[in-house]
Amino acid sequence: MATLDVFGELPDGRTVHCLVLGEAPGPVLHLLELGATVHRLEVTCGDGVRRNVVLGHASPADYLASTDYIGGSIGRYANRIAGGTFPLDGQVVRVGVHDRGNHLHGGPDGFDRRLWEVVEHASSRAVLQLASPDGDQGFPGHLTVRVTVEVTETEVRLTFEATTDAPTVVNLTSHAYFNLDGEGSGTVDEHRLTVLADEYTPVDATGIPLGEHAPVDGTPFDFRAATVVGPAIRTAHEQVVTARGIDHNYVLRGTGPRTAAVLESQRSGIRLELTTDQPGLQVYTGNFLDGTRSSVRGAVYRQGDGIALEPQVFPDSPNRPGFPDAVLRPGATYRARLAWRFDTFTNAAPDPG
Ligand code: GLA
């Protein structure tokens, strides 16, 4: 049976519902109408314990006050657009700027802050829709956006779709932060990460690509084989220092739906495999979590308490002719798919705590 709980109220009095999808012992996902947000994701780990493996805030007010995009569906343009301006069909478009002089994650009032409409809801599947009017945050064209969320016995699948009535740019993703030892359990330093990419995108001090991609070989960005996260984000590599950790786009190998990353915890004995059809993956090690925002438990999140793996086109693509095309035109449908597949390991060490 489809479950719809009241999560809380927005300042204007509108109710935010929470949809519960899936069934134990498989993944159970709590999805909010606010931001089409992945609020809670419970999985059974290799040690038999069920854990919530994503970060979340406790109330709508906490989500609105946060600048961390925790769990949100991000749009219209995930990641940054330099100076909040880009050319489109000979015109200069100006969009909202709120991150060190750049556009970030859809602008000051991005899709993660909107109340989405539930258009379908069954026990393991939901469709949420959002209308983004022409001029929203500066973007041209009326955009109709949908996210379809499906939960199977082992997987959570998100499909983002959008159509427009005028040319625009679109880059939609999920900003879920994972902690496979359980939300609120500390940092992800001991998690092992694999990213199936040979190159990453070095950035300037404001997160804008410098130009060429760089090989990960011989750098702390090399996750081609499973590598512990903590040491990499404590190196003095100039790119790590500037970003306070990893906050970079990886140029994924191949095209079409494929494995992009694997995250695993020896401690809880769970492995997350991320599949996407997107060209890039922003890996963000929670560098700006600074203890000012409360968690679902009422505690606070600190640097490194979660890791976001955000499939997308590359940052600043609308200004980079050599980067993947982010333009959506009338008559075409934008579609981006991701899946999180969970496997347990049998050799999990017992949970010490
Ligand atoms: C993305 C960005 C980061 C940061 C987070 C939210 O991952 O790349 O720089 O803005 O979102 O805090």
Side-chain angles (χ1 to χ4, degrees):
M1 219 190 62
T3 315
L4 191 70
D5 298 331
V6 171
F7 177 63
E9 264 190 17
L10 291 173
D12 64 10
R14 284 179 300 166
T15 301
V16 178
H17 292 101
C18 176
L19 292 68
V20 181
L21 305 173
E23 199 184 335
V28 172
L29 174 70
H30 294 215
L31 180 74
L32 302 181
E33 291 172 317
L34 177 62
T37 293
V38 172
H39 172 61
R40 185 179 178 88
L41 176 53
E42 296 158 12
V43 296
T44 304
C45 300
D47 57 4
V49 176
R50 270 184 85 74
R51 292 182 175 84
N52 170 25
V53 294
V54 297
L55 307 193
H57 294 300
S59 69
D62 287 337
Y63 276 103
L64 292 177
S66 174
T67 52
D68 298 311
Y69 301 92
I70 289 187
S73 288
I74 308 297
R76 279 187 204 194
Y77 193 89
N79 216 313
R80 298 182 173 80
I81 299 174
T85 159
F86 60 95
L88 181 62
D89 295 342
Q91 307 281 320
V92 175
V93 178
R94 288 183 197 287
V95 291
V97 161
H98 65 305
D99 181 72
R100 296 170 281 176
N102 301 314
H103 174 88
L104 176 67
H105 292 337
D109 189 25
F111 293 174
D112 59 295
R113 302 171 58 81
R114 311 286 172 86
L115 199 59
W116 293 53
E117 184 197 351
V118 179
V119 291
E120 257 184 72
H121 181 200
S123 58
S124 59
R125 183 178 192 275
V127 182
L128 273 62
Q129 184 168 302
L130 182 72
S132 169
D134 179 33
D136 190 359
Q137 308 300 295
F139 290 99
H142 178 103
L143 198 74
T144 304
V145 187
R146 280 184 165 220
V147 58
T148 302
V149 182
E150 292 162 291
V151 181
T152 73
E153 286 172 11
T154 53
E155 263 186 27
V156 175
R157 298 181 194 140
L158 270 61
T159 306
F160 296 96
E161 289 170 308
T163 52
T164 184
D165 66 1
T168 191
V169 297
V170 182
N171 187 26
L172 306 176
T173 195
S174 168
H175 208 298
Y177 289 71
F178 294 96
N179 185 323
L180 300 182
D181 293 332
E183 175 279 329
S185 67
T187 71
V188 298
D189 281 357
E190 287 172 25
H191 284 35
R192 298 194 328 156
L193 175 67
T194 311
V195 181
L196 296 159
D198 304 305
E199 291 183 311
Y200 77 106
T201 309
V203 290
D204 68 14
T206 71
I208 297 297
L210 291 173
E212 300 296 310
H213 304 306
V216 296
D217 194 24
T219 76
F221 293 91
D222 190 353
F223 288 94
R224 290 174 295 179
T227 303
V228 178
V229 171
I233 57 175
R234 284 171 181 74
T235 61
H237 188 285
E238 182 218 328
Q239 283 290 313
V240 174
V241 173
T242 307
R244 303 189 189 178
I246 295 175
D247 186 5
H248 290 79
N249 171 63
Y250 280 80
V251 180
L252 295 172
R253 287 182 202 145
T255 55
R258 67 222 185 277
T259 303
V262 178
L263 186 67
E264 54 192 0
S265 165
Q266 299 287 328
R267 181 170 155 202
S268 55
I270 192 124
R271 180 187 299 118
L272 160 70
E273 182 182 338
L274 165 69
T275 305
T276 175
D277 56 4
Q278 293 300 291
L281 181 72
Q282 185 83 6
V283 175
Y284 173 58
T285 51
N287 314 339
F288 304 125
L289 299 173
D290 62 1
T292 57
R293 297 293 168 212
S294 66
S295 72
V296 273
R297 301 176 180 209
V300 295
Y301 291 129
R302 304 201 65 86
Q303 201 174 39
D305 280 0
I307 182 168
L309 302 168
E310 311 157 48
Q312 51 184 241
V313 298
F314 306 161
D316 203 30
S317 285
N319 284 308
R320 313 276 170 146
F323 281 12
D325 189 8
V327 176
L328 179 70
R329 297 189 181 278
T333 301
Y334 166 94
R335 196 168 283 116
R337 296 191 176 88
L338 71 82
W340 302 316
R341 182 188 167 81
F342 294 95
D343 287 303
T344 55
F345 348 174
T346 49
N347 63 341
D351 187 337

